[in-house]
């Protein structure tokens, strides 16, 4: 009788061990899958970090180029503003001179007409 109980305990222990081995195998498989996912995610993160660096670098270059273009535009704008102011002064002087000549011409015509009488 005792031998039979021992035999049943041994059988139960073996069945329990097989169950545990099966659980260990399942957990090992899950762990392996999880590790593969972690490796893939690390790779993705590395690629994204690299791409982010490229984008940041391109942004810094674009910002510098925009600053350079803005400076050139401001210089050109100042040049044209100065040029336009000078041209306006020249035009005002021409108009003033033309007006003065018209006045003198009119005065001469009046004087000439008066002298003819």
């Amino acid at each position: 009788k005792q031998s039979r109980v021992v035999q049943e305990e041994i059988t139960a222990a073996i069945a329990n061990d097989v169950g545990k081995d099966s659980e260990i195998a399942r957990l090992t498989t899950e762990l392996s899958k999880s590790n593969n996912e972690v490796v893939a995610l690390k790779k993705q993160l590395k690629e994204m970090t690299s791409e982010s660096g490229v984008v940041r670098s391109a942004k810094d270059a674009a910002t510098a180029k925009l600053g350079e273009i803005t400076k050139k535009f401001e210089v050109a704008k100042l040049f044209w503003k100065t040029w336009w102011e000078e041209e306006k002064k020249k035009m005002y002087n021409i108009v003033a001179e033309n007006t003065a000549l018209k006045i003198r011409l009119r005065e001469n015509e009046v004087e000439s007409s008066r002298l003819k009488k």
Side-chain angles (χ1 to χ4, degrees):
K1 193 174 184 179
Q2 218 178 20
S3 158
R4 185 180 166 169
V5 171
V6 170
Q7 185 64 34
E8 287 175 3
E9 287 177 356
I10 291 173
T11 303
I14 291 173
N16 192 21
D17 284 349
V18 168
K20 286 181 182 176
D21 286 347
S22 174
E23 181 67 9
I24 289 171
R26 186 186 67 76
L27 291 173
T28 301
T29 301
E30 280 186 35
L31 180 60
S32 177
K33 287 180 183 177
S34 294
N35 283 340
N36 290 340
E37 288 177 17
V38 167
V39 168
L41 289 172
K42 282 183 179 180
K43 183 179 177 184
Q44 270 185 319
L45 179 60
K46 185 177 180 181
E47 289 171 0
M48 290 171 74
T49 301
S50 177
E51 289 173 11
S52 175
V54 169
V55 169
R56 257 189 245 115
S57 177
K59 178 186 174 218
D60 292 344
T63 301
K65 187 68 174 176
L66 178 62
E68 182 182 316
I69 291 169
T70 301
K71 285 178 187 175
K72 286 180 180 179
F73 173 77
E74 290 299 323
V75 167
K77 188 169 101 176
L78 180 61
F79 169 79
W80 286 109
K81 184 177 179 183
T82 303
W83 176 85
W84 176 240
E85 291 299 322
E86 289 174 7
E87 291 301 307
K88 282 197 307 188
K89 286 178 188 175
K90 287 178 187 177
M91 286 191 293
Y92 290 141
N93 288 337
I94 290 170
V95 169
E97 190 177 316
N98 191 13
T99 303
L101 288 172
K102 285 181 182 178
I103 291 171
R104 241 187 296 161
L105 179 63
R106 182 69 185 137
E107 287 172 350
N108 286 341
E109 287 173 352
V110 169
E111 183 67 25
S112 175
S113 173
R114 194 176 58 85
L115 289 175
K116 285 182 183 178
K117 289 183 182 182

